[in-house]
Amino acid sequence: MTSATHSTLFPRVPDTADAVLDGLDPEQREVATALRGPVCVLAGAGTGKTRAITHRIAYGVRAGILQPSSVLAVTFTNRAAGEMRGRLRQLGAGGVQARTFHSAALRQLQYFWPKAVGGDLPRLLERKVQLVAEAAARCGLRLDRNELRDVTSEIEWAKVTQTVPADYPAVVAKAQRDAPRDPAEVAKVYETYEELKRERTVIDFEDVLLLTVGILQDRHDIADHVRRQYQHFVVDEYQDVSPLQQRLLDLWLGDRDSLCVVGDAGQTIYSFTGATPDHLLNFRTRHPAATVVKLVRDYRSTPQVVHLANGLLAQATGRAAEHRLDLVSQREGGPEPAFVEYADEPGEAEGTARRIRDLIAAGVPAGEIAVLYRINAQSEIYEQALADAGVPYQLRGAERFFERAEVREAGVALRGAARAGGNDPLLDHAEGLPAEVRAVLSTKGWRSEPPAGSGAVRDRWESLAALVRLAEDFERARPGATLSDLVAELDERAAAQHAPTVQGVTLASLHSAKGLEWDAVFLVGLTEGMMPITYAKTDEQIEEERRLLYVGVTRARLHLALSWSLSRSPGSRPGRRPTRFLNGLRPGSTAPGGRGAAGGAGGAGVWSGGGGAGGAGGDGRPVARRKPRGPARCRVCGKTLTDAGEMKLMRCDDCPSDMDEALYERLHDWRAVRAREIGQPAYCVFTDRTLMAIAEAVPSTEGELAGIAGVGARKLGRFGAAVLDICAGGDGREVEVAATDEV
């Protein structure tokens, strides 16, 4: 090993306190030397916040101002705490405690429990799902595995927001939070779960914080003991603190103000777990004399990436937006971010895989490349595309698609149905392969409409939906394919994607990418309904989605590509739109205030990756843009519509409907007959939502019918005359016969 290599792996401990400050920029040095009173560090992505706060602690220790044993540094993950301890050791401050909130609280609870309560600390429940299932059964509720996970997460959220069971329904309603079940049912399960814990003498991880808070509140002697031990506190990722964690921090501090917090409101993306940036945003109100330092020198990303990141947050609204940080890149210039539009999802995945293969061939290590998406169910098509391209990959924060429990269960059911062949009463082979797959998956809880909200139930639905889409694409590629053919295809895909990989491209959701960085990042699937996700309804939820995209952008050091596809599958109507968050940032688009997109130094453009609507087929020419439409508004109450189903009806789901029920029934009956005649599922004629929209509008001309979402030119030519005849009181049959005779 060379001396240079040795010094990189084992950096030399600074000789003096002043040597600890060497290499810090002016703002980082200001943080490191601000050792008195409350300090608030507003640190943007890639600005060296961990470097600043570890050097602050080390400088204080080496200068004799801080005693190592009197400092407690808290963060949110064991990985982050371990990294902090390692850096402190390298700086000569190895005696400092760096822990997660839970780890620090558990250590105190174990030490003080015999004195405060007596006896041994109750056993810590490693996994609460089983006890939640028992609680649900006592309440007469049967929850499947995914519902159990969601209800368990909801109980955790209630506890960290200090919400008791009796208050849960009202708090959920006020927060406009999507509960996984009826709020009254969740509250009852929550209450029964707490009763079961008391009966079994066990506690969960949230109780560790709650009980520590309770002891410190009730026993002033114990609180004084803790405060004598820890006199200086540092809190990393302060924007992610929950109300319960803030209460514990207040009790640790007492009436002192030796506190340093570090955070970035622009990276608040975990509100669904109870995290809130309010404590960071209100810090100067609570501590008027606080020293505030902003870290905005970005050492991670090129000016081109930083320019886009700043532009994203410049359009944000709300309190977090008022405290946004404009980053200033400290790196040399690099390539402009690429905005890539594809005709369909498979084209997007294949195009992304090709671009990744080219980067690897140009010398970028596979381990320095990431593909980031909004939900884990999006991974399958990228797993397949990378496998087909011979590019190794690894998944982070999720199981591979074919290893997910619901996908394995679906595979078993599909194999069983394939073996049964024509003897399976579930299957109507005349309806085609996708209909057979839907019928089989319906036994596993599949429904055509997604469940409300997010969580495990939604994740399961998305995975099964991916299988349905795969069946549709497979039949399109191989007309007449059987269920056995599809099962063989699934087995081949699973085998290809299970190949062991050591160093590969990272596939990850945007949430699981927080805190990481790569040389090259591909942000994929950036369409309305996915970014922002369709169940983000309130302004606050929409803004959190914007921040999630910002986190994705700031993961890139050098290469950044943002892509979307205009349709789901080849040949489908190009009805998708790129995310609103890129309006005014991608060339050819207009910002919400009417400002055109600002071009970067290199003149980035929107490039077609596979024949986008109105554009060329992947030869590098900019795609022609459609004239942007204004926001869709409910024709009853005037509210802006974001849900695709509501936009089709042009009204909110809960606004009164003026649908002609008899007309809807006639259209429904006609659709069933027509679908059997053409050998396709009923929704291939028109979806239920489209039929409802027709029955509400009662069009009398082709122009009026064409104006209804879901009635494209192809369907207008094929079914329009019959639909108009039915709307006029006929049955549609004579019109179709006449049209057939003319042809």
Side-chain angles (χ1 to χ4, degrees), residues 397-719:
E399 297 168 300
R400 284 176 169 161
F401 182 80
F402 288 102
E403 292 174 358
R404 294 172 195 164
E406 62 268 23
V407 176
R408 291 200 307 268
E409 291 171 8
V412 170
L414 291 169
R415 285 186 195 90
R419 283 196 299 270
N423 299 320
D424 192 330
L426 277 174
L427 306 183
D428 183 349
H429 301 288
E431 291 191 3
L433 178 61
E436 293 180 45
V437 171
R438 286 190 198 88
V440 173
L441 296 187
S442 67
T443 66
K444 298 297 175 185
W446 162 256
R447 299 291 181 271
S448 59
E449 292 294 322
S454 57
V457 171
R458 179 71 181 227
D459 290 345
R460 174 185 172 85
W461 185 89
E462 295 285 2
S463 292
L464 297 180
L467 286 175
V468 172
R469 293 195 296 269
L470 197 151
E472 292 168 353
D473 294 340
F474 187 64
E475 186 185 55
R476 194 175 291 109
R478 291 179 54 183
T482 65
L483 198 54
S484 295
D485 295 331
L486 177 65
V487 168
E489 171 73 9
L490 294 178
D491 287 342
E492 283 184 23
R493 289 182 176 228
Q497 293 175 21
H498 287 175
T501 59
V502 179
Q503 169 79 329
V505 172
T506 298
L507 297 178
S509 70
L510 286 163
H511 279 103
S512 64
K514 177 76 162 59
L516 303 174
E517 58 187 78
W518 295 270
D519 284 345
V521 170
F522 291 79
L523 301 175
V524 299
L526 300 181
T527 58
E528 285 289 312
M530 192 59 73
M531 177 57 66
I533 198 75
T534 186
Y535 47 76
K537 303 289 187 184
T538 67
D539 290 344
E540 196 172 310
Q541 291 167 342
I542 296 292
E543 286 307 311
E544 183 153 337
E545 292 286 300
R546 186 194 306 275
R547 294 194 296 270
L548 188 56
L549 181 57
Y550 172 81
V551 166
V553 167
T554 55
R555 298 311 94 194
R557 298 190 193 107
L558 179 61
H559 303 280
L560 176 64
L562 305 93
S563 65
W564 60 91
S565 53
L566 298 176
S567 64
R568 188 186 62 75
S569 55
S572 300
R573 186 171 65 88
R576 292 178 172 176
R577 290 177 296 150
T579 174
R580 71 191 76 171
F581 298 147
L582 296 180
N583 289 347
L585 300 175
R586 58 185 177 84
S589 65
T590 304
R595 175 178 53 84
V606 179
W607 302 101
S608 167
D619 59 357
R621 288 181 291 148
V623 177
R625 308 300 309 160
R626 292 188 188 83
K627 183 179 180 181
R629 296 182 296 178
R633 298 191 183 278
C634 173
R635 54 188 165 83
V636 180
C637 70
K639 173 186 165 187
T640 299
L641 303 176
T642 56
D643 177 76
E646 292 181 344
M647 291 169 72
K648 186 168 284 189
L649 294 176
M650 292 306 292
R651 66 170 172 80
C652 304
D653 272 334
D654 50 2
C655 279
S657 167
D658 52 359
M659 182 175 73
D660 184 331
E661 298 283 353
L663 173 58
Y664 177 79
E665 290 301 323
R666 294 201 306 276
L667 288 166
H668 197 275
D669 292 344
W670 163 80
R671 181 185 68 171
V673 172
R674 196 73 181 91
R676 282 197 298 271
E677 290 174 349
I678 64 177
Q680 290 187 355
Y683 72 88
C684 288
V685 180
F686 288 117
T687 64
D688 288 344
R689 288 271 189 174
T690 302
L691 291 188
M692 289 174 65
I694 293 170
E696 289 185 359
V698 194
S700 58
T701 67
E702 279 196 0
E704 291 174 356
L705 180 57
I708 295 173
V711 182
R714 186 177 62 83
K715 290 188 178 182
L716 183 66
R718 193 173 189 185
F719 308 122

Side-chain angles (χ1 to χ4, degrees), residues 247-271:
R247 182 67 188 126
L248 178 58
L249 181 60
D250 289 341
L251 287 164
W252 281 339
L253 273 167
D255 59 1
R256 300 166 301 172
D257 63 2
S258 185
L259 170 66
C260 174
V261 300
V262 188
D264 178 8
Q267 296 189 70
T268 305
I269 59 172
Y270 296 114
S271 67

Side-chain angles (χ1 to χ4, degrees), residues 25-28 44-48 294-300 326-330:
D25 68 31
E27 293 79 24
Q28 291 171 345
T47 58
K294 293 184 179 181
L295 301 184
V296 296
R297 299 176 195 251
D298 187 321
Y299 297 95
R300 176 188 299 160
D326 273 319
L327 302 178
V328 181
S329 176
Q330 304 300 297

